[in-house]
Amino acid sequence: MDLATLSSSPATTSKAPMSLLVIGTLAYDTVETPFDRRERALGGSAVYFAMAASAFGPVRMAGIVGEDFAASDLELLRARGVDTQGIEHAKGESFHWGGSYAPDWNTRTTLFTRLNVLEQFHPKLPKSYCESHYVFLANAEPAVQLEALAQCSQRKFVVADTMNFWIDKYLPDLKRVLREVDGIVLNDEEARMLAGETNLIRAARKVLSMGPRYVVLKKGEHGAFLIGRDAHFSLPAYPVDQVIDPTGAGDCFAGGFMAAIAEADNTEPRTLRRAMLYGTVTASYCVQGFSIEDIGRRKRPEIEARFQELLQITTV
Ligand code: AMP
């Protein structure tokens, strides 16, 4: 596949607005980077995903928040065109996660995971959400991912995410998720943990044998792989000259990736490859700011400009 083929607009762009749903967490994050510390910054897997994907078109979002969740934060999402009807309001506190990054930026330590209202979350999707064609099960408890998925009767392509916290505690449910979805996104540590293999290619193949057709392997600043039974695509990260906060990069990658697929309304090999480029671009904007400060203001033309730049620097 050459540069011109990947850079031209999708062959079959759907005229209907994209039909994309995300189910995941809305959170307040306490994050320590080598240079800064923020208490209760807006975060959560579904928030980052939606902030990235909404640069492409409308996004439906399902999750749960507590009484402490600021109305202004929900307004930020709505202002981006995110449908927030599926966000449940519960008594108690919102999900709160704390993490810190080592000076190399690649090593992240989870300091605490306070599930709070997440412990009582059983998604009941609004009727309009159940018609979504493209579904992203963002990082959340696998049983909750399954409950949500069972309601998506019109789904065409489903991708899930997970993390060490869930692999460690809820492996049997996670294996059921793997049997139900078309794709899974994992970082290198998660892939090794899930497959029990150190070599990443062998780990990805083992994950494929658990059910999904595609594994997207995120390797932080080293880029990402798309591995399928008959597909292999590898891409470096976009070279960002100043990383401010890597939190949410994986979710923003997924947001760009899924939005590009939902917009094209097909999962042909070329669409998946283009989606990998879009995911790389949205992740790169994410790490340039704290929380959603950078990705939350990016518009489509800026994403297109970086997409073209990424093509130029990765092709002969
Ligand atoms: P990422 O950097 O892409 O892995 O995503 C970080 C986001 O995931 C943060 O905003 C957290 O609030 C959220 N998060 C952290 N742990 C969990 C978990 N166990 N389940 C769901 N979301 C989580």
Side-chain angles (χ1 to χ4, degrees):
M1 195 156 317
D2 62 17
L3 185 80
T5 318
L6 266 182
S7 69
S8 58
S9 37
T12 42
T13 307
S14 137
K15 291 205 179 55
M18 65 184 199
S19 176
L20 180 60
L21 167 66
V22 59
I23 300 114
T25 55
L26 293 96
Y28 285 123
D29 294 341
T30 294
V31 175
E32 290 169 22
T33 73
F35 303 117
D36 205 350
R37 182 175 196 279
R38 295 278 177 99
E39 292 267 350
R40 297 177 64 82
L42 177 60
S45 56
V47 169
Y48 277 111
F49 177 96
M51 283 293 177
S54 55
F56 297 72
V59 183
R60 297 169 178 141
M61 183 171 172
I64 188 167
V65 294
E67 292 151 305
D68 57 339
F69 205 81
S72 55
D73 287 334
L74 286 174
E75 197 40 53
L76 276 180
L77 288 160
R78 287 190 204 107
R80 287 281 281 180
V82 178
D83 185 343
T84 58
Q85 275 182 78
I87 297 172
E88 193 183 318
H89 294 255
K91 277 204 163 45
E93 283 198 37
S94 302
F95 176 55
H96 190 180
W97 174 81
S100 82
Y101 293 89
D104 69 0
W105 294 101
N106 287 322
T107 319
R108 176 164 86 186
T109 308
T110 289
L111 301 175
F112 59 85
T113 301
R114 295 186 193 132
L115 296 175
N116 298 333
V117 292
L118 262 193
E119 278 183 294
Q120 62 193 68
F121 184 43
H122 294 286
K124 277 172 221 67
L125 302 182
K127 195 169 165 291
S128 59
Y129 281 36
C130 300
E131 292 159 5
S132 304
H133 295 158
Y134 295 89
V135 180
F136 187 68
L137 304 173
N139 194 4
E141 185 183 333
V144 169
Q145 293 180 315
L146 287 167
E147 273 180 65
L149 191 57
Q151 300 168 53
C152 300
S153 53
Q154 310 285 310
R155 62 193 194 246
K156 289 186 185 170
F157 190 72
V158 181
V159 175
D161 189 7
T162 195
M163 74 187 290
N164 46 10
F165 185 84
W166 307 115
I167 301 173
D168 208 26
K169 294 192 164 59
Y170 298 89
L171 192 57
D173 280 345
L174 182 58
K175 287 194 168 164
R176 285 177 55 212
V177 171
L178 288 169
R179 288 197 289 273
E180 298 285 330
V181 298
D182 300 283
I184 176 103
V185 292
L186 297 168
N187 67 26
D188 34 12
E189 182 202 347
E190 293 154 1
R192 290 188 174 112
M193 194 171 165
L194 186 56
E197 285 277 356
T198 358
N199 178 282
L200 279 180
I201 302 299
R202 288 165 70 102
R205 286 205 196 108
K206 196 152 169 200
V207 175
L208 286 176
S209 75
M210 298 176 184
R213 281 190 289 147
Y214 300 102
V215 176
V216 176
L217 267 182
K218 301 164 294 172
K219 298 181 289 135
E221 64 175 341
H222 302 298
F225 277 134
L226 171 77
I227 298 172
R229 287 179 205 134
D230 49 9
H232 194 147
F233 188 59
S234 177
L235 199 63
Y238 176 87
V240 168
D241 57 14
Q242 199 186 13
V243 175
I244 300 287
D245 173 18
T247 311
D251 307 307
C252 287
F253 181 100
F257 178 78
M258 287 299 286
I261 293 170
E263 183 183 58
D265 194 16
N266 70 69
T267 55
E268 289 161 16
R270 181 170 163 276
T271 302
L272 297 180
R273 287 172 175 238
R274 285 172 54 87
M276 290 287 290
L277 270 95
Y278 279 116
T280 300
V281 168
T282 44
S284 73
Y285 280 126
C286 173
V287 304
Q288 286 183 184
F290 236 101
S291 173
I292 50 103
E293 283 165 9
D294 189 295
I295 187 65
R297 63 186 168 80
R298 293 293 169 182
K299 302 224 162 61
R300 188 61 184 271
E302 295 164 300
I303 290 174
E304 287 306 322
R306 196 170 270 192
F307 178 99
Q308 293 301 332
E309 203 187 331
L310 184 62
L311 264 181
Q312 295 292 343
I313 62 175
T314 52
T315 326
V316 286

